[in-house]
Amino acid sequence: MGVDPLSPIAPARVRTLLLPVGRITRARFLEQVERVEPQGVVRLGDVSADARPNRNMFSPLAFPTGLILYHHATAPPPGSQSSLFPFELFREPLMVLGIVDAHELGRHGRANGVASMPQRSKEEGDADWDGLQDALEDLRDQYPKALVHQLLLFDHLPGTSPDRVPKGIFPIPPPEQCQTTTMKTLMCDLTSLLLAEMTTFAKSLQGLPSIESPSTSDGSHLSNGYSAPSDAWTRSTTSGTTQSSRSGSPATIADKVHYRMSMPTPLPSAGSEMAGAGPGTRSRSPPSRPGTPPPTVGDHHGGYGDSPGKAPRPSAVTRSSAGGEIRDPSRDRIAVHGFGSGSLSERARNRGKSRVGVVIGALYLQAGRWPDAVRELVEGAAIAKANSDHLWHAKALENIMVGLVMSAWAGMDFQIPQICYPVADKAPDRSSDSHAPRSSAAPNRLISLQNLTALLPDLLNNILNLYARASNFSGESLPPLAFAESVVRFSKLLTAAHLAGGQLDEDGLQHLVLNASSQPLPRLGVPRTAVTPTRTEIASMLFRAFPGPSAAPSQSVTDRVLILAGMTAVLSRLGLHRKKAFVMRELISVLTPGLVQARKLGAAAMGVHPAAGLAALKASGGRGGALDLGVGDVEAGLDHVLGILGSVYGVVSVDGARRPTAEGTPDDAPAPSTVADDTDEVIIARINHDAARRSFGSPTMKLIILRQCINLCEALPDFHGVLRFTTELLRTAGSGVAPRVDSDEGSTNLAREEQVRLATNISRTVNAAAKLGVRQITAEYWDEFLARGVDVIDPPTWKMPIAHAKSELASVEALQEQKEKSPFIYNPFLKRPDAAVATKILVAGEYAELKITMQNPFEFEMEIERIRLESRGVAFDSIEHNTVIGAYRTKMLSMFGIPKTAGALTITGCIVKIRGCRERRFPIFTQPWSPAREVKMKRLGLAASEASISASSTTSGPRPSALDLTVIGTQPIVVVQSVGLPQSAVMLLEGEVHHFTITLQNVSRTTPVDLLLFAFQDSTTGPLQAAMKQKDLLPSELYELELLCLRREALRWRRTDATEPFIEPGASATFDMEILGKPGLTDGMVQLDYAHLGVPREEVTGSFYTRQLTIPITVTVNASVEMVRADLVATPDDDQRCLLLLDLRNSWPSSLTVTLQLCDVESPPESSSSDDAWTDASTFTETVQAGHTARMMIPLPRIFLPNAHAPIPILNRANQRQFIYGASKLSPEAERLSREAFWYGEAIRTHLRARWVEDSSSRRGEIQLRDLRLSARMVEAFKIPDVEIDMSIEGLADDDDDDDDDDDDDDEHAVRTVARSTTAVPTERFLSLTTRIRNRSSKPIYPMLRLQPSLRHQPHNVALDVSKRLLWNGVLQQALPLLAPGDVVEASLGICVLCRGEYEIGAQVEEVRVWQDDGPVEPKKTAVMDRPLGDEGVRRVWYARSHCLINAYDEHDRDESEGEGEGEDEGGREGEESSE
């Protein structure tokens, strides 16, 4: 570590001044300084004693275990410190060493490089040596207070003869030729010279009657803090020893003090006369005191008392003893006001003696002879105390304390002098004088060290009180700088004792003497409050050094900065961070105006250009001056110091969440990579850390501190610091939250004008650094929530990829195969694509557009120089954009990128370069977030901040979001090249079919289309689907709606072949389409799903993606021919046929020809769908004029449907669940009638078709017959029942008249059929009533026949009374045998009509019991759908379609009865099925 200028043992150090001499570069000079600096401690035993007898007062042989500590400096002390010499000898350099570069010798010009050297007759090498000797003499003139002046010739070649090297010049070989002891030997030789010159200096001091006390008026302070040293002391101490004087230098002493460190030392001109002294040392010291032999080592074993072998020192120094010293007579004049020991003259003489003794003791202290120093100082302190010389008394005590500490550090036994105890009662009880030699063994060092530690607080306070008491006397007050430095040194000493647990240990002593780094171990056994001295006591003492407003005029900026920096170091070691921050704040307030003033007036004289700063000076290379910091001097530099200040006040630092840098890593080292610093974990930790810092401290104080830091960095100027603390100011003033939409949570705690000024300051600083060549200087952006959202912008529908499963492709193929059978198979390609899913699918090689939401919560515009998306997964080329975000705005920015290959892609954030800030990564925070505030305050002070930071490390914090995308392989792009419809519009008539073409082009250059699927939608689909969703629809109505979707498609693709379509890259393909005019059709859409599979369809694995292209078509449908009314009537004469009546109306302005075709009704329904079935069909043609209605009659054969009560089919399986048991609202009878009407109507519509043709054009179309609805009457007219009952009457021959053939013929002719079901019979004849029963159903029945004779045209009660008019042989009700399906059974009954009249006989067949089928059980679904009929387990009844009518007549009325029988109507009801 470097030397601490405020070290407690600073009075024991010897200041050495290292200066560049001759032509030497800055880098070379600093390199040689680094070789000298390690030799800072020299052991006296390694130093050779001076052989001259008058130079052995500080002989190293007297105390070989002693050590001399050097303080190597490269700049002279300021004038405020020089004025303290010789009161404090360590203020001035006692040794001046000139650094000479041997490589620069031999060049033209003087060694100092100031004036040109005249031509000489000597060789060039001799001229170089003469120049160096001149430079050495100039050093003596420039620094007359120094005792040793030497030149160090570095990298001197060994081939040069040593005899030719003049005295005062030490040649040093290059490092590679040096031995390990070369530099150490050099310092020992220099120490030997120093000790010899100390003797001369000490004897000159002894020749003085007194030494003046320093005062605040000494030295002429300059604007930069330095002062010119006074020549009075130099003249008084050297006038008697100088044999010949040299002419003065043209330059004044003040001019010589202020020199550039990088320039050669200014020397006098070549015409200056050379002094007669030798080149090594100057013979200006008086001769040594006679009779003073050099002390020996044995003189110090007895302690610090006077040695027996030491000769007594003269009580006064006379003029002759001083070696003929030429002095001002006025100095020897003493005013005599009395006589004796108490007189003023005696007191003055004693004070002079004590002051000289104190300075001599300080010389012993610096010479490493600490016991002699303590002895001299004790004597001087006693005299000063007796004569109330408080200032020198305090200085003697201070130096005694330093000597004791040095003895303890060296491991020596020592005793504390009695005079060190402020009160005699506190002194340890001793039987003899503390200074007398002890007869017993040496005291224990540990006990002495403990006693010293215990004494330190009182001793140091006593010293400070003496300094304060001295200020009451005119001319005896200690300058504020010296007093403040003493306070700081004492505080550091007490701090070391406090950190060691109240006892100075080896580590503490090493830190005090060598400034070694020490890490005090925790002392768990001793509470911190019980350690003496306490932190409070040390802090109270330390703040006595605080430079108040009254000290500002008398102290320079440099002095005040030095004191405040020392106070900061002490408070930092004590852990009093808040007090340290207070002092640092004062330090900044003092340093800032001083730097500004220095830049304006004296920056050049200080070696710092006004346009450069510390950062620029350090970047220029090398070390030196203010930047000459050794390893461990400071942790990280000015930024780190100001950062500590901000952390105490709770400033949100830009590097708060980063890991601390490794030991020895400077702050200006290159920042780690963006990935390492800006990961999600690091950013979340930074956000939590910032939130904890915001919750601590006063916001106003934070802003004040940061403004002061900015002012300081601008005054340097330090570009890094300006940017850092401006950023921290914005970060601290910001809210640090992710605000909600339309909320003021993100407002900033700064005025708008200041925000704009800070933003401008960042840009101005970056530009200024760039002009100076500093390119890699940027700020850290102040808002972590820059990116608030990212999403994919919906692509056009024709480019949007839609995901499909492999099963969907199979279902489409099945749909194409089974379209006519099951039209309601789900077509997955007709579904609308989910935008939320489709937008998350990108296509490789195609541009993808994304939008990113960015926020700016500050009141100034933010310019983004470049921004790109960050992703992981497949390669993604994000196109950089630039934009400007307005003040206090949220902006959505569209960005583009191209995924290279297929795979998974995740957008994790964006990489943004904001103007003036470094390029960094920002994660995406979509959700609002604000830190949770601590409800209870559990800690105070800095502990609260540390607790908040510790708690923030365990807080989850905001969660960054990511956008997961799927990238598929390259896909083709198909566009519509042409549509065969003008303006994609068409006008149709109802039932008309129009054909058109669509031409598609594949605009892709590399990818073909190998999957092409057509789907269609029209305006009628929606209403039909809405109607089908109604819950109260009858099955027949639902079937009609579903059939409209099946058979009446508005749009259809006419495939000419079975090959799959394929479009090559850049090629085109044409497809034929047809459109059907349907009522309600206003528009349609052709939907095309296409893709590139790359493999056959059956080899597709997993999911695939298609694109969808839609072609809208506008349609206008006008009415043509519509069916107004329909009816079915039975024919009276033909029981096997019925008549269909259709009323057709022409709604088109032109006449239309209508054609009806009826195919074979007996053919199965499936055959009517083919064109061959209509070849032999019956055709009926009618021309219908415009606006007219025509009736067409078509004879239809009556048919039998074996399963006329079958359930009505459901084409869409999804609708079958609504027809469960109990869901139908119809009664069983109404349900049977509804099913019969449906199935018989289907039979008519299947075998009948109608078409129209416009006479004036080629328009043609079909007439919709689905509106034909059959009523129950119409069904009865058209159907043939399951069980057909037919009755007939025949005459019977009489057995008694068998031989009479004529009579038989007459009977046969007497019974004749007059009309259908009407028979004319004579009365009183035997007749046979035959009833024929035919089973047309599919199941056997057990029939029971019931006959019901009655009178015709009579009331019911009269009509049944036929017992006296009609006789029958047998029973009217009889059970018949089992009637199998398709069988016929006959039952005969003999009857005889007794009187003439009209009779009718009705017949009915009833099931005796229900047939139990042992065959396979019906499917459950069919059984469930049959339940609404209510006929399960119920016997059925069938009635004869017509009654048997009998017209009975008498024989004589035969002719009349025949005529009457022909006009009778049929009567009776038609047989039908019913339930009992």
Side-chain angles (χ1 to χ4, degrees):
M1 266 192 158
V3 176
D4 183 9
L6 297 177
S7 173
I9 54 94
R13 293 185 181 275
V14 176
R15 181 185 289 266
T16 303
L17 182 60
L18 304 177
L19 297 176
V21 175
R23 298 176 59 90
I24 182 172
T25 62
R26 178 185 177 85
R28 289 283 296 170
F29 172 73
L30 296 177
E31 180 182 351
Q32 309 310 333
V33 169
E34 290 180 351
R35 298 178 62 182
V36 178
E37 279 182 344
Q39 308 302 325
V41 179
V42 177
R43 182 175 175 271
L44 294 181
D46 299 333
V47 179
S48 301
D50 196 301
R52 292 171 291 182
N54 59 344
R55 301 295 181 95
N56 55 9
M57 182 176 177
F58 298 94
S59 175
L61 300 178
F63 189 61
T65 58
L67 299 170
I68 296 182
L69 280 71
Y70 287 99
H71 176 197
H72 299 293
T74 56
S80 58
Q81 297 189 15
S82 299
S83 63
L84 297 174
F85 186 85
F87 179 75
E88 291 180 344
L89 293 176
F90 65 91
R91 299 289 183 177
E92 280 288 337
L94 299 183
M95 182 185 301
V96 178
L97 300 178
I99 305 297
V100 182
D101 188 3
H103 296 291
E104 299 294 334
L105 294 179
R107 297 192 180 185
H108 294 287
R110 295 196 57 180
N112 55 11
V114 176
S116 61
M117 186 178 64
Q119 297 292 333
R120 300 178 181 219
S121 59
K122 296 182 179 181
E123 297 180 357
E124 186 177 356
D126 296 336
D128 292 334
W129 296 128
D130 293 341
L132 292 179
Q133 289 181 352
D134 294 342
L136 183 59
E137 290 300 325
D138 291 339
L139 287 181
R140 294 193 182 101
D141 292 339
Q142 189 173 356
Y143 300 97
K145 293 182 182 181
L147 303 181
V148 176
H149 302 78
Q150 296 290 319
L151 296 181
L152 304 182
L153 182 59
F154 282 92
D155 296 347
H156 177 68
L157 297 178
T160 304
S161 175
D163 297 337
R164 301 183 60 184
V165 178
K167 294 183 179 180
I169 302 176
F170 284 85
I172 302 174
E176 58 273 8
Q177 298 181 9
C178 287
Q179 299 179 359
T180 56
T181 59
T182 300
M183 298 304 299
K184 183 176 181 181
T185 304
L186 170 66
M187 290 306 301
C188 291
D189 296 340
L190 293 175
T191 302
S192 177
L193 294 176
L194 177 64
L195 294 178
E197 291 299 323
M198 276 187 176
T199 302
T200 305
F201 180 58
K203 291 181 178 181
S204 65
L205 291 177
Q206 292 173 355
L208 297 177
S210 179
I211 299 176
E212 295 180 359
S213 300
S215 63
T216 56
S217 61
D218 289 343
S220 57
H221 294 277
L222 302 179
S223 60
N224 59 358
Y226 291 94
S227 62
S230 175
D231 294 338
W233 171 255
T234 305
R235 289 193 302 266
S236 63
T237 57
T238 61
S239 59
T241 59
T242 304
Q243 297 178 0
S244 62
S245 62
R246 293 176 299 173
S247 61
S249 173
T252 63
I253 298 178
D255 295 334
K256 295 179 181 179
V257 172
H258 306 291
Y259 65 95
R260 287 184 182 269
M261 186 172 58
S262 60
M263 298 295 293
T265 304
L267 297 177
S269 62
S272 301
E273 296 182 1
M274 301 298 293
T281 58
R282 302 178 64 181
S283 177
R284 64 169 184 256
S285 301
S288 115
R289 248 182 337 179
T292 308
T296 60
V297 179
D299 296 339
H300 305 281
H301 291 325
Y304 290 153
D306 295 335
S307 301
K310 181 178 179 181
R313 196 176 60 179
S315 60
V317 179
T318 63
R319 184 179 183 91
S320 60
S321 63
E325 180 184 12
I326 303 176
R327 298 172 53 182
D328 189 358
S330 62
R331 287 182 171 268
D332 297 332
R333 295 173 184 172
I334 300 175
V336 180
H337 297 281
F339 299 94
S341 60
S343 63
L344 293 178
S345 59
E346 182 66 21
R347 175 175 293 185
R349 288 193 298 270
N350 292 335
R351 282 188 175 183
K353 177 182 178 181
S354 66
R355 293 181 179 185
V356 172
V358 171
V359 176
I360 296 299
L363 281 174
Y364 276 111
L365 190 64
Q366 289 184 322
R369 294 174 55 175
W370 306 312
D372 293 337
V374 172
R375 182 177 61 251
E376 292 287 342
L377 292 170
V378 168
E379 182 179 351
I383 299 175
K385 180 179 180 181
N387 291 276
S388 299
D389 195 356
H390 305 298
L391 180 61
W392 291 86
H393 178 203
K395 176 53 64 177
L397 293 178
E398 179 181 354
N399 290 338
I400 291 173
M401 180 268 298
V402 174
L404 297 178
V405 171
M406 296 300 294
S407 299
W409 168 69
M412 300 169 52
D413 296 335
F414 62 90
Q415 291 182 357
I416 302 175
Q418 184 70 26
I419 198 171
C420 293
Y421 293 92
V423 183
D425 296 340
K426 292 185 177 181
D429 187 13
R430 292 186 176 93
S431 58
S432 61
D433 185 21
S434 60
H435 297 283
R438 298 171 55 93
S439 59
S440 60
N444 190 298
R445 173 178 172 272
L446 295 179
I447 297 177
S448 300
L449 189 57
Q450 292 175 0
N451 293 336
L452 176 61
T453 306
L455 177 63
L456 281 178
D458 295 336
L459 176 60
L460 298 178
N461 282 320
N462 185 31
I463 294 173
L464 294 179
N465 292 334
L466 289 174
Y467 282 143
R469 190 182 304 176
S471 62
N472 297 327
F473 300 91
S474 176
E476 297 293 331
S477 61
L478 185 67
L481 173 62
F483 178 80
E485 289 189 356
S486 298
V487 173
V488 174
R489 290 197 296 269
F490 297 167
S491 301
K492 287 188 176 182
L493 182 57
L494 295 179
T495 300
H498 175 82
L499 296 178
Q503 297 292 335
L504 284 175
D505 53 6
E506 295 297 334
D507 291 340
L509 292 173
Q510 290 291 334
H511 173 72
L512 290 175
V513 178
L514 300 179
N515 198 22
S517 60
S518 62
Q519 297 294 335
L521 298 177
R523 301 178 183 272
L524 303 179
V526 181
R528 190 190 66 181
T529 56
V531 176
T532 303
T534 63
R535 296 196 305 171
T536 305
E537 295 173 351
I538 300 174
S540 300
M541 175 187 292
L542 179 65
F543 271 89
R544 297 178 66 177
F546 189 81
S550 60
S554 61
Q555 291 184 359
S556 64
V557 175
T558 306
D559 297 338
R560 298 177 66 187
V561 168
L562 181 63
I563 297 303
L564 293 174
M567 294 180 63
T568 303
V570 175
L571 294 173
S572 177
R573 287 181 57 83
L574 289 175
L576 302 176
H577 300 289
R578 302 179 71 179
K579 290 183 174 62
K580 177 187 69 174
F582 171 77
V583 176
M584 292 178 64
R585 179 185 171 190
E586 182 67 19
L587 173 62
I588 294 175
S589 63
V590 171
L591 189 58
T592 302
L595 289 173
V596 174
Q597 186 69 13
R599 290 181 59 190
K600 293 180 179 179
L601 302 178
M606 295 175 62
V608 179
H609 194 272
L614 293 181
L617 182 60
K618 187 173 184 180
S620 63
R623 299 168 51 196
L627 297 177
D628 190 7
L629 305 176
V631 178
D633 286 343
V634 290
E635 284 79 4
L638 180 62
D639 285 349
H640 183 74
V641 172
L642 297 181
I644 293 175
L645 174 63
S647 64
V648 174
Y649 283 93
V651 169
V652 180
S653 176
V654 295
D655 55 353
R658 297 179 182 175
R659 296 180 180 178
T661 57
E663 183 178 358
T665 302
D667 263 3
D668 58 350
S673 62
T674 302
V675 178
D677 279 350
D678 299 326
T679 59
D680 289 345
E681 294 77 9
V682 173
I683 292 178
I684 292 175
R686 189 183 307 161
I687 292 174
N688 292 333
H689 182 274
D690 293 350
R693 299 297 295 172
R694 285 189 181 91
S695 62
F696 170 76
S698 170
T700 304
M701 288 300 301
K702 296 177 186 178
L703 301 182
I704 293 174
I705 291 299
L706 288 172
R707 293 188 185 104
Q708 291 182 347
C709 293
I710 294 173
N711 295 335
L712 175 62
C713 294
E714 288 178 345
L716 286 173
D718 181 7
F719 299 130
H720 291 281
V722 172
L723 295 179
R724 172 186 175 180
F725 295 108
T726 303
T727 300
E728 289 185 358
L729 180 57
L730 292 173
R731 186 181 289 264
T732 303
S735 61
V737 302
R740 297 177 176 84
V741 181
D742 299 333
S743 66
D744 58 350
E745 296 176 348
S747 58
T748 305
N749 190 21
L750 281 178
R752 181 180 181 276
E753 293 75 11
E754 185 175 3
Q755 295 184 43
V756 175
R757 181 179 59 81
L758 293 174
T760 307
N761 192 25
I762 292 177
S763 300
R764 186 176 66 251
T765 303
V766 174
N767 294 335
K771 291 180 180 179
L772 294 177
V774 184
R775 300 292 181 182
Q776 304 298 330
I777 176 171
T778 54
E780 184 75 16
Y781 187 65
W782 41 88
D783 182 21
E784 299 292 344
F785 299 97
L786 175 64
R788 294 302 310 277
V790 64
D791 202 356
V792 180
I793 297 180
D794 297 343
T797 54
W798 57 274
K799 291 187 65 177
M800 183 182 301
I802 305 172
H804 300 279
K806 180 183 178 181
S807 58
E808 296 180 5
L809 185 60
S811 64
V812 172
E813 295 177 352
L815 178 64
Q816 295 176 352
E817 296 176 358
Q818 304 178 7
K819 180 104 178 174
E820 297 297 332
K821 298 180 181 179
S822 180
F824 295 97
I825 294 179
Y826 172 67
N827 187 356
F829 293 90
L830 281 177
K831 67 178 181 180
R832 297 183 62 85
D834 188 358
V837 176
T839 54
K840 297 183 182 301
I841 301 174
L842 306 182
V843 181
E846 296 184 9
Y847 282 96
E849 185 177 6
L850 297 91
K851 64 178 180 180
I852 180 169
T853 304
M854 309 183 75
Q855 72 171 16
N856 178 20
F858 294 87
E859 294 290 344
F860 54 85
E861 290 185 350
M862 181 177 63
E863 180 182 355
I864 297 180
E865 296 180 352
R866 58 181 179 270
I867 177 176
R868 68 180 187 274
L869 296 175
E870 186 207 38
S871 62
R872 66 170 180 265
V874 300
F876 181 78
D877 288 348
S878 177
I879 300 177
E880 292 186 351
H881 293 73
N882 55 0
T883 184
V884 176
I885 304 179
Y888 205 74
R889 293 290 185 272
T890 298
K891 183 174 183 178
M892 293 184 181
L893 178 64
S894 296
M895 302 190 64
F896 295 89
I898 303 177
K900 294 299 184 180
T901 57
L905 176 65
T906 302
I907 305 298
T908 58
C910 56
I911 299 176
V912 185
K913 175 63 174 70
I914 301 172
R915 184 175 181 85
C917 301
R918 74 174 178 93
E919 185 177 28
R920 54 159 294 189
R921 173 185 176 272
F922 288 91
I924 302 170
F925 297 98
T926 57
Q927 298 299 325
W929 178 86
S930 60
R933 302 298 181 185
E934 187 176 0
V935 179
K936 295 182 179 180
M937 184 180 296
K938 300 180 180 180
R939 296 173 180 84
L940 298 175
L942 291 178
S945 174
E946 296 174 357
S948 300
I949 295 174
S950 300
S952 66
S953 61
T954 60
T955 306
S956 59
R959 295 183 178 179
S961 303
L963 180 61
D964 295 327
L965 302 173
T966 301
V967 181
I968 62 176
T970 57
Q971 293 293 324
I973 298 178
V974 176
V975 297
V976 179
Q977 191 173 11
S978 64
V979 179
L981 295 174
Q983 298 181 356
S984 298
V986 63
M987 191 278 292
L988 300 174
L989 297 179
E990 289 185 9
E992 182 182 2
V993 177
H994 182 77
H995 301 276
F996 64 96
T997 60
I998 296 177
T999 302
L1000 305 176
Q1001 181 182 7
N1002 181 10
V1003 299
S1004 177
R1005 298 182 179 181
T1006 57
T1007 309
V1009 178
D1010 56 5
L1011 176 64
L1012 192 64
L1013 301 174
F1014 284 98
F1016 308 94
Q1017 293 183 0
D1018 57 82
S1019 58
T1020 62
T1021 305
L1024 288 176
Q1025 292 178 350
M1028 287 187 293
K1029 291 180 181 179
Q1030 297 180 6
K1031 301 298 182 181
D1032 55 350
L1033 288 177
L1034 295 177
S1036 59
E1037 297 175 348
L1038 181 61
Y1039 179 84
E1040 294 296 333
L1041 295 175
E1042 293 175 346
L1043 194 62
L1044 285 177
C1045 296
L1046 168 65
R1047 303 284 178 83
R1048 304 281 293 176
E1049 289 181 315
L1051 292 167
R1052 190 171 66 89
W1053 175 28
R1054 298 179 59 194
R1055 302 191 64 172
T1056 57
D1057 52 19
T1059 59
E1060 296 296 335
F1062 185 88
I1063 306 178
E1064 294 287 347
S1068 301
T1070 303
F1071 302 91
D1072 295 333
M1073 302 291 167
E1074 68 176 25
I1075 183 171
L1076 172 65
K1078 295 173 59 176
L1081 179 63
T1082 58
D1083 58 79
M1085 182 180 65
V1086 180
Q1087 177 179 307
L1088 171 66
D1089 291 270
Y1090 63 93
H1092 171 68
L1093 300 179
V1095 295
R1097 296 186 180 183
E1098 58 273 6
E1099 298 180 7
V1100 174
T1101 59
S1103 61
F1104 65 97
Y1105 298 87
T1106 64
R1107 278 178 169 159
Q1108 196 174 90
L1109 184 65
T1110 58
I1111 306 172
I1113 299 175
T1114 303
V1115 184
T1116 301
V1117 179
N1118 295 322
S1120 56
V1121 177
E1122 56 182 342
M1123 185 176 60
V1124 180
R1125 187 169 60 88
D1127 194 9
L1128 270 176
V1129 295
T1131 57
D1133 297 333
D1134 191 353
D1135 199 26
Q1136 299 299 322
R1137 291 184 178 272
C1138 62
L1139 192 62
L1140 174 64
L1141 305 178
L1142 296 177
D1143 293 342
L1144 303 177
R1145 181 175 60 189
N1146 181 10
S1147 300
W1148 184 243
S1150 301
S1151 61
L1152 300 176
T1153 300
V1154 178
T1155 302
L1156 295 178
Q1157 289 182 303
L1158 179 65
C1159 65
D1160 187 7
V1161 180
E1162 299 297 332
S1163 63
E1166 292 79 2
S1167 63
S1168 61
S1169 59
S1170 61
D1171 294 337
D1172 296 339
W1174 302 96
T1175 303
D1176 300 331
S1178 302
T1179 304
F1180 306 90
T1181 304
E1182 181 73 21
T1183 300
V1184 184
Q1185 298 298 325
H1188 288 72
T1189 301
R1191 171 169 289 182
M1192 301 185 68
M1193 295 181 292
I1194 300 97
L1196 296 179
R1198 296 177 68 241
I1199 62 174
F1200 168 75
L1201 296 180
N1203 196 11
H1205 298 150
I1208 299 176
I1210 304 299
L1211 301 181
N1212 188 4
R1213 297 178 181 179
N1215 297 325
Q1216 289 183 354
R1217 293 184 296 175
Q1218 63 178 336
F1219 299 108
I1220 60 176
Y1221 179 74
S1224 178
K1225 299 181 180 179
L1226 299 178
S1227 62
E1229 182 67 22
E1231 181 68 22
R1232 283 195 297 270
L1233 294 177
S1234 175
R1235 293 184 181 183
E1236 284 184 346
F1238 171 79
W1239 287 114
Y1240 282 101
E1242 282 295 307
I1244 296 176
R1245 290 185 289 267
T1246 302
H1247 297 83
L1248 181 66
R1249 72 177 182 180
R1251 295 184 175 182
W1252 59 266
V1253 177
E1254 187 178 10
D1255 298 336
S1256 60
S1257 65
S1258 59
R1259 290 177 177 269
R1260 62 185 64 246
E1262 293 186 356
I1263 301 175
Q1264 181 59 258
L1265 297 179
R1266 300 303 305 181
D1267 296 336
L1268 178 62
R1269 300 290 186 269
L1270 301 183
S1271 63
R1273 181 186 58 80
M1274 297 170 67
V1275 172
E1276 289 296 332
F1278 183 60
K1279 78 172 184 177
I1280 296 176
D1282 294 343
V1283 177
E1284 186 178 5
I1285 304 174
D1286 187 17
M1287 293 183 294
S1288 62
I1289 296 178
E1290 297 178 355
L1292 296 177
D1294 192 358
D1295 295 339
D1296 295 339
D1297 300 332
D1298 291 337
D1299 297 335
D1300 193 351
D1301 296 334
D1302 294 337
D1303 293 338
D1304 295 337
D1305 294 337
D1306 294 338
D1307 293 338
E1308 293 178 0
H1309 290 289
V1311 179
R1312 64 181 185 276
T1313 300
V1314 180
R1316 177 176 172 270
S1317 301
T1318 302
T1319 306
V1321 299
T1323 56
E1324 297 180 356
R1325 289 286 183 99
F1326 291 101
L1327 304 173
S1328 175
L1329 177 62
T1330 303
T1331 303
R1332 182 180 294 103
I1333 302 173
R1334 183 178 180 180
N1335 182 12
R1336 293 180 179 271
S1337 65
S1338 59
K1339 295 181 180 181
I1341 58 176
Y1342 293 95
M1344 176 178 284
L1345 178 62
R1346 287 193 180 93
L1347 300 176
Q1348 183 64 48
S1350 62
L1351 295 176
R1352 195 179 183 192
H1353 305 305
Q1354 296 296 327
H1356 184 67
N1357 55 350
V1358 177
L1360 295 179
D1361 188 13
V1362 294
S1363 59
K1364 295 181 179 182
R1365 295 180 176 82
L1366 182 63
L1367 300 177
W1368 58 83
N1369 181 19
V1371 294
L1372 299 178
Q1373 178 177 326
Q1374 58 178 327
L1376 301 179
L1378 178 65
L1379 185 60
D1383 291 350
V1384 178
V1385 62
E1386 294 183 355
S1388 299
L1389 179 67
I1391 61 174
C1392 180
V1393 181
L1394 300 178
C1395 60
R1396 66 178 183 179
E1398 294 183 2
Y1399 301 88
E1400 62 180 0
I1401 300 175
Q1404 70 176 17
V1405 176
E1406 181 180 1
E1407 276 186 310
V1408 177
R1409 58 191 179 92
V1410 180
W1411 169 259
Q1412 297 294 333
D1413 192 0
D1414 296 336
V1417 181
E1418 293 181 347
K1420 183 177 181 180
K1421 180 176 67 175
T1422 305
V1424 171
M1425 298 182 68
D1426 284 342
R1427 287 180 182 178
L1429 298 178
D1431 57 355
E1432 190 174 283
V1434 179
R1435 293 178 296 149
R1436 294 171 293 175
V1437 179
W1438 294 270
Y1439 298 94
R1441 179 179 178 86
S1442 60
H1443 291 179
C1444 181
L1445 301 181
I1446 301 176
N1447 291 334
Y1449 61 90
D1450 293 335
E1451 289 290 341
H1452 60 274
D1453 296 332
R1454 180 176 180 178
D1455 297 335
E1456 298 178 0
S1457 61
E1458 292 179 358
E1460 295 176 356
E1462 294 178 358
E1464 296 295 334
D1465 296 330
E1466 288 187 0
R1469 295 182 305 155
E1470 297 179 356
E1472 62 182 0
E1473 300 178 5
S1474 61
S1475 304
E1476 294 184 356

